Amino acid sequence: MVSSCFGLHHHLHQRTHLNPEIPLRLSHLSTTSSLVQFASRSSFTHLIHRRRCSSSAPMACSGQSCPSPKPSDPDRFEPDPTLTNDDLRPTTASERTFSGWEMASLWIGLVVGVPSYYLAGSLVDLGMAWWQGIATVVVANAILLVPLVLTGHPGTRYGVPFPVLARSSFGVRGAHIPTLLRALVGCGWYGIETWIGGEAIFLLLPSSLKHSALSQPWPWLGSSPLEFACFIAFWLAQLTIVWKGIEGIRQLEKYSAPILIALTSCLFAWAYVKAGGLGHMLALSSKLSSSQFWALFFPSLTANISFWATLALNIPDFTRYAKSQRDQAVGQAGLPLFMGLFTFVGLAATASTEVIFGRVISNPIQLLGQIGGLGTTILAILGISLATITTNIAANVVAPANALVNLSPSWFTFRRGALITALLGIAFQPWRLLKSSESFVYTWLVGYSALLGPIGGIILADYYLVRSTELSIKDLYTLSPHGAYYYSRGYNLAAIASLAVGIVPVIPGFLQKVGALSMIPDAFVVIYNNAWFFSFFLAGFLYWVLSSFPGKSRKSLPYDPFLPTQS
């Protein structure tokens, strides 16, 4: 052990003296390739190994054979083993495999799914006209595209995932707060998507079994044992894909995108032919007065933003694999278009059901069950399963798994984190969240936006307003009190206070929605209906003000030895 430590120390000593005259300021960084070539797996492994060796080597010394230890150098980079592993380190050049098309494929796989279809139908179900529902979805996603691209920038530039980026604003220990809140929402979504996949399996079962005593709901469970068993079966099936890690997810999204586009086109063509055109859908008018529409529009806009606000936070988990800033920005620009098109298909199919079956069927799984035919049913189930898996794994596994890895890199791996995520997805009882359009839109989507909005506001204010997009990679991976992101024992009190201020005003409105409060002032109703906007801007502005106080510590070392020289 000692000899290997000395050999490694000699190797590192040689490498650090290859070019001692060319330190690089962080502001000189203009390309991605130079950073990722240096921030390699071997660099992190060597540095962590050196730290462990330095603590164990003195045990082998005797007498005067060992040199006396030198005083600690606050500028020397020694990544703390409790803050990094292979899932948290900066990505290397060879790992930058996401092109613009593959980023767009990611969003196609995310958008084409039952929740997106169900969300569009929910807006019409609540009284909107077809064009009002589509416009609400497109506007919401166009707004969300801004924080998506802005938050994706540091992921591509520095190659770090969301938990590591959060250390800049919340502190190296305080980052656990936003990442675990994001993980909590991801676990809830994982349960919802898995329940939808279980419903697809339920649809394949023989009619005799679906009408047996096993399909009767149990009041204490809130579901039937047969539906719950299908839910668990789909839950287990997803774990086989999760086990392949981020590269398996990339391949899944890449090759699933054209299949999902084809299946969506088939559904639209079926609805068009069977209903005799789009006339019935276009005849769907609003059931709301002007005042009623605007009262519904803003919480619906918030709900649609909340729909992908989860990804707007942890998008660095994916953009860190993008080949360039252009690839990550162009790839994400398709989100409003994809959501608008899929919403149109969902509304067209939903409207056609009234003509075809004599009643409106807004749930796509129930619709596919009504279409009939063994071949059609099997194809439909495969499509729903593929759409559900592509959305669920990318959107709802990566962030919670990385959050748990960040909590304890020495114990958690991506696989273990994914397993915990899946278990918590069951605890959320998703069948209760999907019991009605109102509970899905107003309670679930709007409710959790109060948690994610302020986190996004704080992170963007820190990265763009406080730090002008300049981060010190070495300080993101150290617990040294001299680190720029150590703050107060690893916690940035300004960020934590801003987060609390962003969340608290939304709580009364949430409590009213879940029935815990009967009456609240109208101001709190307005705040809740605009929860994401309110909390995002309030927390971000407050953080910027607190970080701008005279004497506020914003340590930044003039040189970052973890950054390479330009080639």
Side-chain angles (χ1 to χ4, degrees):
M1 172 66 183
V2 175
S3 61
S4 66
C5 292
F6 283 139
L8 177 61
H9 176 77
H10 176 70
H11 170 70
L12 290 171
H13 181 78
Q14 287 182 322
R15 289 187 60 183
T16 43
H17 288 81
L18 288 175
N19 197 352
E21 295 88 19
I22 316 180
L24 177 68
R25 291 183 182 272
L26 194 60
S27 58
H28 291 172
L29 180 65
S30 59
T31 62
T32 300
S33 59
S34 59
L35 169 61
V36 298
Q37 288 170 358
F38 182 83
S40 63
R41 183 193 311 257
S42 59
S43 300
F44 256 64
T45 303
H46 288 341
L47 290 166
I48 295 171
H49 185 57
R50 181 179 66 180
R51 176 168 181 165
R52 289 173 176 166
C53 290
S54 64
S55 62
S56 60
M59 296 175 61
C61 299
S62 61
Q64 303 297 319
S65 61
C66 288
S68 58
K70 295 182 180 181
S72 177
D73 180 3
D75 288 348
R76 188 177 64 180
F77 175 47
E78 293 187 356
D80 194 288
T82 64
L83 294 178
T84 189
N85 63 11
D86 276 349
D87 296 310
L88 296 177
R89 61 175 175 76
T91 50
T92 66
S94 62
E95 292 170 327
R96 301 297 187 96
T97 56
F98 278 41
S99 64
W101 162 244
E102 287 172 324
M103 287 297 299
S105 298
L106 172 69
W107 279 112
I108 293 173
L110 289 167
V111 164
V112 179
V114 175
S116 301
Y117 185 109
Y118 184 71
L119 179 61
S122 297
L123 297 179
V124 174
D125 189 40
L126 291 169
M128 285 190 180
W130 69 271
W131 63 269
Q132 291 172 332
I134 294 175
T136 301
V137 170
V138 172
V139 170
N141 285 277
I143 293 172
L144 187 64
L145 182 62
V146 176
L148 267 169
V149 174
L150 291 178
T151 310
H153 184 277
T156 302
R157 181 173 182 179
Y158 297 102
V160 295
F162 167 63
V164 175
L165 174 64
R167 294 172 187 172
S168 170
S169 51
F170 283 86
V172 288
R173 291 194 176 105
H176 296 315
I177 298 172
T179 54
L180 290 177
L181 288 176
R182 167 62 182 93
L184 191 66
V185 175
C187 292
W189 264 117
Y190 187 88
I192 289 174
E193 293 278 4
T194 305
W195 178 258
I196 290 169
E199 283 189 312
I201 296 177
F202 180 81
L203 186 61
L204 271 178
L205 298 177
S207 298
S208 58
L209 190 58
K210 288 189 286 187
H211 292 90
S212 66
L214 291 175
S215 63
Q216 299 303 311
W218 288 355
W220 63 270
L221 180 62
S223 174
S224 70
L226 187 58
E227 287 178 300
F228 187 77
C230 293
F231 166 68
I232 295 299
F234 194 81
W235 182 89
L236 291 171
Q238 289 180 111
L239 289 181
T240 60
I241 298 175
V242 173
W243 233 242
K244 296 181 180 179
I246 194 71
E247 181 60 22
I249 294 173
R250 184 184 75 88
Q251 294 290 337
L252 174 70
E253 301 291 344
K254 178 180 178 180
Y255 295 109
S256 296
I259 298 174
L260 293 173
I261 291 173
L263 292 175
T264 302
S265 301
C266 289
L267 177 62
F268 178 77
W270 171 87
Y272 183 88
V273 172
K274 287 290 186 179
L278 297 176
H280 192 74
M281 188 202 80
L282 299 179
L284 281 177
S285 59
S286 176
K287 302 174 184 177
L288 308 170
S289 65
S290 178
S291 59
Q292 289 175 327
F293 169 76
W294 290 112
L296 177 65
F297 173 76
F298 288 106
S300 299
L301 187 70
T302 301
N304 275 273
I305 289 176
S306 304
F307 197 75
W308 294 123
T310 51
L311 265 294
L313 275 188
N314 74 289
I315 195 65
D317 291 338
F318 299 97
T319 60
R320 65 194 291 237
Y321 296 98
K323 295 179 179 179
S324 68
Q325 293 291 357
R326 182 180 181 276
D327 285 311
Q328 75 97 358
V330 170
Q332 296 198 79
L335 173 61
L337 175 63
F338 300 147
M339 280 296 291
L341 289 174
F342 191 69
T343 299
F344 178 79
V345 172
L347 290 178
T350 301
S352 70
T353 58
E354 188 169 4
V355 177
I356 301 169
F357 301 108
R359 59 190 177 91
V360 175
I361 304 176
S362 59
N363 188 320
I365 295 178
Q366 294 176 1
L367 170 60
L368 293 170
Q370 290 290 320
I371 293 176
L374 180 61
T376 302
T377 301
I378 292 176
L379 183 63
I381 297 309
L382 291 175
I384 288 177
S385 299
L386 182 62
T388 301
I389 290 174
T390 54
T391 301
N392 208 17
I393 293 178
N396 307 316
V397 172
V398 176
N402 282 344
L404 292 171
V405 170
N406 185 55
L407 190 64
S408 179
S410 61
W411 192 85
F412 275 111
T413 61
F414 182 85
R415 289 180 177 179
R416 289 181 179 179
L419 179 60
I420 299 297
T421 299
L423 291 171
L424 290 175
I426 300 175
F428 266 83
Q429 302 184 64
W431 49 92
R432 299 186 189 274
L433 294 174
L434 290 173
K435 65 182 179 181
S436 70
S437 295
E438 185 171 358
S439 63
F440 176 65
V441 173
Y442 288 154
T443 303
W444 171 241
L445 292 177
V446 178
Y448 76 63
S449 70
L451 298 177
L452 305 187
I455 297 172
I458 291 168
I459 287 177
L460 290 181
D462 178 78
Y463 183 67
Y464 287 97
L465 301 181
V466 176
R467 305 193 183 279
S468 300
T469 73
E470 294 187 1
L471 298 178
S472 170
I473 291 184
K474 70 184 190 61
D475 288 337
L476 290 172
Y477 293 92
T478 181
L479 282 173
S480 168
H482 300 284
Y485 314 119
Y486 188 76
Y487 298 105
S488 177
R489 299 181 182 274
Y491 297 89
N492 186 359
L493 301 182
I496 295 172
S498 301
L499 176 63
V501 170
I503 293 174
V504 168
V506 186
I507 293 177
F510 177 77
L511 293 177
Q512 185 195 42
K513 284 297 177 184
V514 298
L517 293 176
S518 56
M519 293 292 292
I520 60 173
D522 291 342
F524 287 112
V525 175
V526 174
I527 289 173
Y528 182 77
N529 289 342
N530 299 274
W532 185 86
F533 292 97
F534 180 86
S535 60
F536 179 91
F537 288 106
L538 176 61
F541 177 75
L542 180 59
Y543 177 80
W544 178 54
V545 170
L546 294 177
S547 300
S548 301
F549 279 162
K552 176 69 179 175
S553 176
R554 283 169 24 198
K555 292 181 287 186
S556 180
L557 297 176
Y559 300 110
D560 194 337
F562 194 62
L563 291 177
T565 58
Q566 297 291 322
S567 56

